Amino acid sequence: MSNDVSREDALLAAARKLDISPSKYKQAMERFNSMKDYLVGGEFKDATFPPEVYLQGSFKLGTEVRPYTNCTDADYDIDAVCLLGHSKEETTPYKVKHQVGDLLKAHGTYKRMLDDEGKRCWTLNYSEEDGIGFHMDILPSVQESYSAIEGRIGKNAIAVTNKIARTGAYAWSTSNPKDFAKWFFDKNKVAFNSVKLAQKQLLFETWRKDGLFADTDAVPDVHVKTTLQRAIQILKRHRDIRFCNQTNEKFKPISMVITVLAAQVYQNESTIHETLRHLIDILSRHAAQMHSGFLFEENMAQTRYSLITRTADGKWNIPNPTNPDENFADKWHEQENGVSHARAKAFFQWVEWVRKDFVDIAERLEEDHYSRSLSLPSSSNNSATSGLTMSFFNVPHRMKPSWPLPLSHSVNVSGEIKTTAWHKFDSGEPIDKEMDLLFTAHTDVPKPFEVYWQVVNTGKEAEDAGQLRGKIALSKNAGSGGLTQKERTSYSGTHWVECFVVKDGECLARSGEFVVKIK
C-alpha cells in the first residue's frame, strides 16, 4: 500500500469516528422536530405570521463533530433558529427573546430541561443515552428590516437577539444562516453530487438489518460527506484537542471561522489530504505575515485569496460571505487577560499546530496515527498525559485488530476507581497502586454485538514481572453485555484500555485508548 493511500485511509477512518451515527442522528432529529412542532404551534402576541423553526450550523451543513470540553467528549450541539412573525420595527429584542423562552417554560418537560438564559439562545439539555447526550440551542429572531438588507444582504437575513453581559441590555445583530447554508452547499455541490449515490448505497446496506432506511433515497443528505466536510470535521476536532488545557483555550477559533475559510478555498480536491494541504498552505502564508511584525498587508495576490484582512485601525475581518455586516473575527483585536489580539494569536498558533501535525508528519504516518491524534488526550498538551506521543502507543506487544474496521458507530469508555466508594476518574489521571478499576463502554451499535477489550501494560515493573499484556480478548462479563471490564492497578507506568464493538464480523466502533497512569 502506498503512503498516499494509507494516509488517506487513516484520515478517512479518523473522520468517520467523528460522525454522529445515523441512529443517533435520527434520534436528534426526532427531538428537534418535537421542539419545532411545539414552537410553531405556539401563540406569540402581536406576530403577523406563524413562526418558522429550522436548523443551522453543523447539523445543517453536515460538519457535525461531538464537542470536546475539559479534555473529554461532551454533548452534541444542535443549533436551531426560531423566526417569529414580528416586524423588527414594531418589537424589541427583549420581547422576542422572552416570548420564545416563556413558551418553552410553559411546557412541563422543556421547563425542566431549560438552561439559564444565554447571550443569544435558549438551551435545552437532553439527558444522555448510551453515554451520548444532546443540547439544543434555540436562537430567537425576526426577519431583518428591508432597509437593512436592500442591495447588501440576502433576503433571508434575520435580526438576532443579543443580551449584553456587561449591562444586561438587549440589542439586535444581523445573521443569515439560510443563505449561508446555500452558499456552503453551492461550494460543495460538485463534490457532493459525485459521491452521494455510492455513499447512500453503502449506508443503506450497512443499516439494512436494522431497518433504519426504507431505501437508498431515504438516507439523509447530511450523512454524505465530501472531502470538504471531512476536512472541516478533522480541523474542528484537532482544534479542540490542541487547545485542551491551554491557557488560551477560550480564545480558540470558532467553528464558523474554520468552515468559512475551508469552503472559500475548496477546489473539489479528490482526497481529504489534498483538501487539508491546500488550505493549510494558504493559512500558513497568512500566519507567516502575522508573525513578521504582526502586519497584514494586501500582498497575498499570489494565493488569489484575501481570507483574513485588517482595517486601518488594526481590526480583523473575516466576513460572512452572505452577510457583510457579520464579521466572524469581530473580537480578534480585543485585549484579553493582558494579551492584545488574543484570538488572532490563538488562531495563528493553531494554524502552526495544524501545519506540523498534518503536513510535516505525513511521510512517517502509520495507518491509525491520524485517528489517534484526533481522539486521545495524548495529542492535546493535556498536562495529565503530557509526553505521550502517537508513537508511544506503538509498542510491539500490542495486538492489532483483525476485523475490517468500517467504524460506522461510536463507543466511549468511562472509568471508575474504588476508594471508600466508586467514583469516576479521567483518562491520564495519576492513580495509586493496588486499586480496583471498573471501565464501562457506552455504544450506539444496535444489539446484538460482541464486545472485545484490550489491556496494554508498559513500564519496567510490568516487563520484569512478565506482564506486558496487549491481547484483544472477548469480554467475559456477560452480565453487562460485555460492556464492563474490571482491572487492578499492579504496576507503575502508563497503561491503557481500549474497547471494540464487533457485529457480523466487522468492528463497527472503536473507543481509542483510555490511559491509566499508575504512580
Side-chain angles (χ1 to χ4, degrees):
M1 183 181 292
S2 70
N3 286 342
D4 287 343
V5 173
S6 61
R7 179 190 297 120
E8 187 64 16
D9 286 345
L11 283 167
L12 182 57
R16 282 174 173 165
K17 291 180 72 173
L18 302 177
D19 287 342
I20 185 170
S21 72
S23 59
K24 274 294 173 185
Y25 177 82
K26 180 181 179 183
Q27 182 187 65
M29 290 304 97
E30 287 170 350
R31 291 170 172 177
F32 165 75
N33 287 324
S34 293
M35 179 277 298
K36 173 183 175 179
D37 290 345
Y38 174 68
L39 290 181
V40 168
E43 293 186 8
F44 296 94
K45 187 178 179 182
D46 300 326
T48 57
F49 58 85
E52 181 183 3
V53 179
Y54 56 90
L55 288 172
Q56 65 166 337
S58 62
F59 267 73
K60 176 68 174 179
L61 303 179
T63 58
E64 73 286 346
V65 172
R66 191 173 182 185
Y68 190 79
T69 57
N70 297 322
C71 297
T72 190
D73 286 316
D75 292 347
Y76 279 104
D77 292 318
I78 305 172
D79 296 310
V81 173
C82 181
L83 180 71
L84 299 191
H86 299 293
S87 166
K88 180 184 174 185
E89 289 77 9
E90 297 177 3
T91 190
T92 66
Y94 176 90
K95 178 180 178 180
V96 170
K97 181 77 172 289
H98 285 277
Q99 279 193 338
V100 175
D102 289 346
L103 186 59
L104 292 170
K105 292 173 186 176
H107 187 286
T109 301
Y110 292 153
K111 181 179 181 180
R112 294 191 298 271
M113 298 164 55
L114 196 63
D115 208 342
D116 293 337
E117 180 185 0
K119 176 185 176 182
R120 288 160 52 104
C121 298
W122 294 102
T123 300
L124 295 174
N125 295 302
Y126 291 83
S127 58
E128 288 190 2
E129 294 182 20
D130 301 324
I132 301 173
F134 300 94
H135 65 254
M136 193 178 302
D137 291 332
I138 303 165
L139 180 67
S141 63
V142 297
Q143 191 73 37
E144 185 56 276
S145 60
Y146 181 79
S147 60
I149 67 175
E150 184 179 14
R152 298 186 311 107
I153 307 174
K155 64 180 182 179
N156 292 309
I158 58 176
V160 175
T161 65
N162 268 315
K163 184 178 182 181
I164 302 170
R166 181 170 45 85
T167 64
Y170 290 78
W172 295 114
S173 62
T174 299
S175 189
N176 196 346
K178 273 191 176 181
D179 285 341
F180 182 86
K182 182 180 182 302
W183 172 85
F184 181 87
F185 293 142
D186 284 345
K187 292 281 187 179
N188 200 42
K189 180 168 59 177
V190 172
F192 175 85
N193 287 336
S194 70
V195 300
K196 69 176 181 180
L197 292 179
Q199 289 193 21
K200 286 192 174 189
Q201 182 64 35
L202 178 61
L203 281 163
F204 171 67
E205 295 295 339
T206 300
W207 289 84
R208 181 192 290 270
K209 291 181 180 179
D210 303 293
L212 191 62
F213 307 119
D215 50 37
T216 300
D217 291 339
V219 178
D221 287 352
V222 73
H223 295 317
V224 175
K225 306 295 185 187
T226 66
T227 55
L228 171 62
Q229 290 162 309
R230 290 301 191 198
I232 291 171
Q233 288 180 299
I234 287 172
L235 290 171
K236 286 163 65 173
R237 181 66 167 192
H238 178 272
R239 168 206 60 192
D240 292 343
I241 294 288
R242 269 299 203 166
F243 278 95
C244 179
N245 279 349
Q246 295 295 300
T247 57
N248 61 348
E249 182 174 7
K250 72 175 183 177
F251 308 135
K252 67 185 181 182
I254 61 174
S255 294
M256 190 56 77
V257 164
I258 296 172
T259 302
V260 167
L261 297 180
Q264 289 275 26
V265 305
Y266 187 52
Q267 294 182 347
N268 298 308
E269 290 87 354
S270 61
T271 68
I272 304 169
H273 184 262
E274 290 172 352
T275 306
L276 286 169
R277 184 182 287 278
H278 183 204
L279 175 61
I280 292 165
D281 176 63
I282 291 170
L283 293 182
S284 295
R285 297 184 198 182
H286 284 66
Q289 289 191 342
M290 187 278 288
H291 286 304
S292 60
F294 213 73
L295 296 175
F296 204 86
E297 305 297 337
E298 288 301 323
N299 57 359
M300 293 292 293
Q302 71 274 18
T303 70
R304 299 189 295 113
Y305 303 104
S306 296
L307 300 179
I308 308 168
T309 59
R310 295 186 75 183
T311 57
D313 58 1
K315 293 183 179 179
W316 301 82
N317 188 37
I318 302 176
N320 181 334
T322 63
N323 178 9
D325 287 351
E326 188 171 16
N327 173 17
F328 296 131
D330 60 344
K331 295 184 178 180
W332 278 26
H333 68 283
E334 295 177 358
Q335 179 169 308
E336 303 275 0
N337 297 340
V339 179
S340 60
H341 301 270
R343 286 174 172 80
K345 290 178 178 177
F347 174 82
F348 290 111
Q349 172 65 75
W350 174 68
V351 170
E352 180 65 13
W353 282 335
V354 172
R355 186 186 67 80
K356 288 181 177 179
D357 292 345
F358 288 97
V359 177
D360 293 349
I361 67 170
E363 297 306 317
R364 52 188 176 86
L365 279 179
E366 290 191 9
E367 184 175 354
D368 58 354
H369 272 176
Y370 276 129
S371 189
R372 288 189 212 146
S373 72
L374 295 169
S375 61
L376 293 174
S378 58
S379 304
S380 68
N381 291 335
N382 180 351
S383 60
T385 55
S386 60
L388 299 189
T389 63
M390 291 180 289
S391 60
F392 175 86
F393 295 98
N394 291 330
V395 293
H397 56 280
R398 179 184 191 175
M399 180 185 290
K400 290 188 175 181
S402 59
W403 321 277
L405 297 166
L407 299 178
S408 56
H409 293 64
S410 65
V411 59
N412 301 285
V413 172
S414 59
E416 294 179 83
I417 185 170
K418 188 174 183 180
T419 52
T420 54
W422 288 100
H423 63 86
K424 287 188 176 182
F425 75 102
D426 294 327
S427 175
E429 178 183 336
I431 57 179
D432 293 324
K433 281 187 178 181
E434 305 307 324
M435 305 294 291
D436 290 321
L437 306 180
L438 176 66
F439 300 96
T440 303
H442 312 274
T443 185
D444 60 358
V445 176
K447 294 180 179 180
F449 50 71
E450 295 178 325
V451 179
Y452 289 77
W453 291 88
Q454 183 174 44
V455 180
V456 182
N457 283 359
T458 68
K460 192 174 187 312
E461 286 190 7
E463 183 176 6
D464 290 345
Q467 292 295 321
L468 288 179
R469 301 163 61 190
K471 291 184 178 180
I472 298 174
L474 181 66
S475 176
K476 297 179 181 179
N477 195 346
S480 68
L483 293 170
T484 59
Q485 175 78 7
K486 291 184 177 180
E487 295 292 331
R488 187 165 176 83
T489 60
S490 300
Y491 306 103
S492 296
T494 302
H495 321 295
W496 62 89
V497 299
E498 188 168 12
C499 181
F500 304 82
V501 184
V502 176
K503 186 180 179 74
D504 298 328
E506 293 185 324
C507 181
L508 301 189
R510 180 179 184 177
S511 67
E513 298 90 338
F514 188 106
V515 175
V516 179
K517 196 170 185 178
I518 303 175
K519 294 185 287 187

